[in-house]
């Protein structure tokens, strides 16, 4: 067995690099993670899209987390997104009544993700938005972004974050409303049309 003297910096071998995926797909997704809104709630909005890599290819093993306030702009303080049976440890899913504001969705084989949540209310000077966290292969750290809904132009124009961006970059944070009433929001990790990502300090 070879022993390495680590008391001297020149004798220390570098640690191999690692990314945040795709190993997390085994335990992090949970049943019903995309069904954030309570069943039958009148202010439910479907949001969906694709996650693309730097070459424009869809990622089939990305993980998208979504958080949002309720329609009044209040942050939920309810447990229960990932309830478990205390006896078996099995996932029970949501109870279908309470709104936790949180969802976790794994992209499908085509890189598509889908969530059904409540329309977020405005908080402070911000236009209504959903917070998003993306985990994907090749990323050294997860990425944060926002999904703004396009329904209130005055609120979007006054939003402090959006006001700092030029029109093209700003557009990467605003979902497109489809004829069906759903909102489409694609996440581009790099390259042309790269989504604006946020850094928290």
């Amino acid at each position: 067995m070879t022993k390495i003297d680590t008391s001297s910096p020149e004798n220390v071998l570098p640690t191999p690099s690692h990314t945040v995926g795709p190993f997390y797909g085994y335990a992090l997704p949970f049943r019903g993670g995309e069904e954030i809104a309570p069943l039958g709630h009148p202010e439910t909005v479907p949001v969906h899209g694709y996650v693309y890599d730097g070459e424009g290819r869809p990622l089939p093993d990305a993980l998208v987390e979504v958080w949002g306030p309720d329609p009044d702009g209040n942050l939920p303080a309810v447990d229960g997104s990932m309830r478990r049976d205390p006896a078996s440890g099995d996932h029970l899913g949501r109870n279908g009544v309470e709104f936790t504001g949180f969802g976790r969705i794994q992209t499908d084989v085509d890189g598509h993700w889908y969530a059904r949540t409540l329309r977020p209310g405005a908080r402070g000077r911000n236009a209504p938005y959903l917070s998003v966290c993306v985990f994907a292969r090749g990323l050294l750290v997860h990425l944060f972004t926002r999904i703004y809904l396009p329904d209130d132009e005055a609120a979007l124009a006054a939003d402090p974050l959006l006001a700092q961006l030029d029109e093209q970059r700003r557009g990467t944070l605003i979902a497109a409303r489809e004829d069906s009433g759903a909102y489409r929001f694609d996440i581009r990790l790099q390259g042309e049309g790269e989504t604006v990502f946020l850094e928290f300090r």
Side-chain angles (χ1 to χ4, degrees):
M1 180 199 255
T2 304
K3 291 187 177 179
I4 300 174
D5 176 13
T6 58
S7 61
S8 176
E10 57 270 3
N11 292 331
V12 178
L13 299 175
T15 303
S17 63
H18 211 299
T19 70
V20 298
F23 53 84
Y24 53 75
Y26 171 71
L28 289 181
F30 61 97
R31 186 170 62 242
E34 71 283 355
E35 297 292 339
I36 305 168
L39 296 173
H41 196 288
E43 297 193 63
T44 298
V45 292
V47 183
H48 75 104
Y50 292 83
V51 179
Y52 295 104
D53 68 13
E55 296 181 356
R57 295 177 303 214
L59 290 178
D61 51 11
L63 201 66
V64 177
E65 290 186 346
V66 177
W67 303 274
D70 67 20
D72 295 323
N74 299 315
L75 294 177
V78 177
D79 294 332
S81 291
M82 299 173 279
R83 295 180 312 138
R84 291 183 179 269
D85 184 319
S88 68
D90 187 32
H91 288 284
L92 293 175
R94 302 178 193 275
N95 63 17
V97 177
E98 296 172 306
F99 176 64
T100 65
F102 172 77
R104 182 181 289 153
I105 309 102
Q106 187 165 6
T107 56
D108 66 16
V109 295
D110 298 316
H112 185 256
W113 66 275
Y114 167 86
R116 210 177 54 78
T117 189
L118 295 184
R119 178 177 298 282
R123 302 187 73 240
R125 295 171 45 224
N126 297 303
Y129 68 86
L130 298 168
S131 294
V132 176
C133 183
V134 182
F135 302 80
R137 66 172 117 148
L139 296 179
L140 296 178
V141 293
H142 46 283
L143 301 173
F144 295 98
T145 189
R146 290 179 178 179
I147 301 173
Y148 288 91
L149 302 184
D151 306 319
D152 188 339
E153 281 299 325
L156 293 174
D159 184 87
L161 173 64
L162 293 177
Q164 297 177 52
L165 303 171
D166 65 46
E167 187 174 347
Q168 187 174 12
R169 300 293 289 143
R170 182 177 181 263
T172 70
L173 296 179
I174 302 173
R177 186 181 178 105
E178 299 179 320
D179 293 340
S180 65
Y183 293 91
R184 169 86 180 259
F185 186 80
D186 294 336
I187 300 167
R188 299 182 186 277
L189 302 182
Q190 281 183 313
E192 187 175 348
E194 177 183 324
T195 300
V196 171
F197 295 106
L198 310 176
E199 183 176 304
F200 295 96
R201 297 181 182 191

